[in-house]
């Protein structure tokens, strides 16, 4: 048992519960504020999401529609919750990290800080990339219909489609960081990654095809290329780390 774990264990169970409750309340308050702000901005966010539909409407009938009386309100709540979770993420991640950190060793804490420092901007960058890509995807998918047809889109389904695609690309951009962390923890070697590069490429291409469901090679390439570059960077980092580790072991011998 490490010193940090022993120190953590000296706090009574009631103390742990009080700390968890205090940090949980802060995270909940931040989430609530984020949801309120998201609800206030929901019309502006929906206006951005509606952009591709308005572009399609210039050449054929196209519009967002609600299939229930409460559909518009439900959609505003969905957008508000999505915006609230993303907007308040720095607060609830910080509270979670502050609660877990005292129980980690110095090495684990350093890895956790490094992971968050790399993962948060990569996730944000991936989501931003998804927002830039989704109008092209919507126009491409809607382009399969004839100009004589009407494109009537369910607003809830449409927003779900956009959010899932944006989140999927955001998460995909973070995956290479997990690869580096596993290597730093000694669970995955650089040699294994280099031997598996063909399988990694196949998985990247399949994932890109799933999050860009269109007969558009360019869209798939735009997702696959940055993912492949990030994984290549991760493999390079693991290679440098393993070489340094092997050199250090030889020196100690």
């Amino acid at each position: 048992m490490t010193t940090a774990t022993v120190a953590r264990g000296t706090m009574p169970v009631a103390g742990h519960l009080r700390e968890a409750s205090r940090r949980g309340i802060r995270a909940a308050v931040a989430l609530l504020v984020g949801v309120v702000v998201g609800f206030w901005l929901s019309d502006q966010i929906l206006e951005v999401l509606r952009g591709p539909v308005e572009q399609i409407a210039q050449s054929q009938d196209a519009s967002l529609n609600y299939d229930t009386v409460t559909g518009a309100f439900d959609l505003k709540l969905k957008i508000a919750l999505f915006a609230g979770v993303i907007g308040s993420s720095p607060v609830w991640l910080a509270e979670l990290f502050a609660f877990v950190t005292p129980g980690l060793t110095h090495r684990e804490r350093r890895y956790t800080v490094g992971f968050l420092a790399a993962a948060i901007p990569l996730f944000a960058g991936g989501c931003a990339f998804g927002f830039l890509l989704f109008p092209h995807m919507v126009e491409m998918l809607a382009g399969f219909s004839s100009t004589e047809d009407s494109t009537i889109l369910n607003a809830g389904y449409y927003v779900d489609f956009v959010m899932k695609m944006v989140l999927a690309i955001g998460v995909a951009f973070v995956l290479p960081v997990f690869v580096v962390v596993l290597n730093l923890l000694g669970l995955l070697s650089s040699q294994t990654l280099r031997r598996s590069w063909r399988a990694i490429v196949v998985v990247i291409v399949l994932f890109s095809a799933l999050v860009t469901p269109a007969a558009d090679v360019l869209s798939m390439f735009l997702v696959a290329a940055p993912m492949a570059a990030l994984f290549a960077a991760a493999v390079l980092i693991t290679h440098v780390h393993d070489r340094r580790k092997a050199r250090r072991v030889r020196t100690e011998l």
Side-chain angles (χ1 to χ4, degrees), residues 54-67:
E54 294 177 346
Q55 187 69 26
I56 297 170
Q58 294 180 5
S59 58
Q60 66 185 83
D61 291 335
S63 63
L64 291 181
N65 291 267
Y66 305 98
D67 55 2

Side-chain angles (χ1 to χ4, degrees), residues 107 111 115 175-190 193 238 241-242 245:
R107 181 188 180 195
Y111 288 164
F115 171 78
L175 292 180
V177 182
F178 282 101
V179 172
V180 174
V181 171
L182 290 175
N183 174 259
L184 295 177
L185 293 175
L187 302 177
L188 185 64
S189 68
S190 175
L193 289 172
T238 59
H241 173 260
D242 286 354
K245 184 178 179 180

